[in-house]
Structure formats: C-alpha cells, structure tokens
C-alpha cells in the first residue's frame, strides 16, 4: 500500500501543474492510447459509475478537451473523442508522467522493473479471474 500511495503522489504531481486531476488524466490517457471510446467503456476501464463518468466527461468537454458524438450502432450510447487541444494536453501530461514514473522507480534495476511488471501483470490477471469466477 505504501508503494501504491507514493507512486500515486508522484503521478499526481507530474500533471498537477497542467490543472488536471488523476481521473481526468486516466480518461484522457485512455483516449490517447485506445482512440475514441464509448463512455460506458471508459467508465468500466477506469472504475467509475455511470454518473461519475458523465460528470468527468462533462468537465473535460467544458474545457474543450473532448467531444461526444452519438454511436451510430447504439443511439443511446455516446462516443468520447479527444479534441486537438485535449490531445496536446494529454501528450504533454503523459510525457511528464512518464518521466516522473521513471524517476520514482529508479531504485530498481531494469531487470527488476521487468520482473516486477511481469509479476504485477500475473497478479492482476489472476485476481481478476478469481473475481469473475465468483460473479
């Protein structure tokens, strides 16, 4: 837990000067890496409720960072997409974030980082499958 809290602080500090919070960063980064997404898919991946994702997307849209369009395949759904301004912001934020995470993890060797990543991936996948089996 201590490592998680410390890394989260490093992450939040890395983009705080750009006036975005952790939730906004995670949403914008997902759109940068995955492209336009249904709002419901973003909520699922980020771990937000329907109401919370609506508020977060409203906030990003009001700042000119994203636009929402109707999903041609499901008129009830909305597709969220980065605007050029949103893309510029998240690219800057992600560059800062990457540098901060590299600095925060510098106590580990490259081999240790690779091993840690593999173990965390295996742990997450295993824990997720246990939850799915219980549902």
């Amino acid at each position: 837990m201590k490592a998680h809290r410390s890394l989260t602080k490093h992450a939040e500090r890395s983009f705080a000067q750009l006036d975005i919070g952790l939730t906004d960063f995670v949403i914008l980064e997902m759109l940068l890496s995955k492209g336009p997404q249904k709002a419901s898919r973003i909520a699922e991946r980020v771990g937000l409720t329907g109401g919370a994702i609506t508020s977060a997307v409203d906030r990003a849209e009001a700042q000119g960072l994203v636009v929402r369009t109707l999903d041609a395949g499901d008129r009830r759904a909305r597709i969220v997409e980065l605007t050029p301004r949103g893309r510029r912001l998240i690219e800057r934020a992600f560059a800062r974030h990457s540098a901060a995470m590299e600095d925060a993890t510098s106590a580990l060797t490259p081999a240790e980082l690779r091993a840690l990543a593999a173990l965390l991936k295996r742990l997450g996948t295993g824990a997720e499958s246990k939850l799915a089996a219980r549902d």
Side-chain angles (χ1 to χ4, degrees):
M1 291 302 284
K2 185 176 182 179
H4 179 266
R5 281 192 302 273
S6 295
L7 288 171
T8 299
K9 284 181 184 176
H10 277 274
E12 290 173 336
R13 286 180 182 170
S14 72
F15 44 76
Q17 291 176 341
L18 298 174
D19 201 27
I20 58 174
L22 183 58
T23 300
D24 298 328
F25 175 83
V26 172
I27 291 169
L28 295 174
E29 192 280 325
M30 180 181 178
L31 294 171
L32 179 67
S33 64
K34 305 282 187 198
Q37 299 286 314
K38 286 185 179 183
S40 59
R41 178 74 174 132
I42 298 169
E44 179 183 301
R45 291 284 305 259
V46 176
L48 295 175
T49 64
I53 193 65
T54 298
S55 294
V57 173
D58 284 349
R59 185 174 53 249
E61 192 172 40
Q63 294 173 343
L65 304 176
V66 300
V67 292
R68 274 186 274 218
T69 57
L70 292 175
D71 182 350
D74 180 358
R75 292 182 1 180
R76 297 168 296 162
R78 300 290 181 264
I79 302 293
V80 182
E81 184 175 355
L82 287 172
T83 63
R85 179 176 182 213
R87 179 172 295 282
R88 286 190 303 273
L89 176 67
I90 191 56
E91 286 174 347
R92 280 187 22 228
F94 192 77
R96 289 179 180 203
H97 173 70
S98 293
M101 293 298 95
E102 194 170 303
D103 182 54
T105 59
S106 64
L108 300 177
T109 67
E112 289 169 331
L113 284 170
R114 285 190 299 276
L116 177 62
L119 287 169
L120 288 172
K121 183 174 183 175
R122 196 167 97 207
L123 176 63
T125 301
E128 194 171 292
S129 69
K130 296 276 185 187
L131 286 172
R134 291 184 183 130
D135 289 343

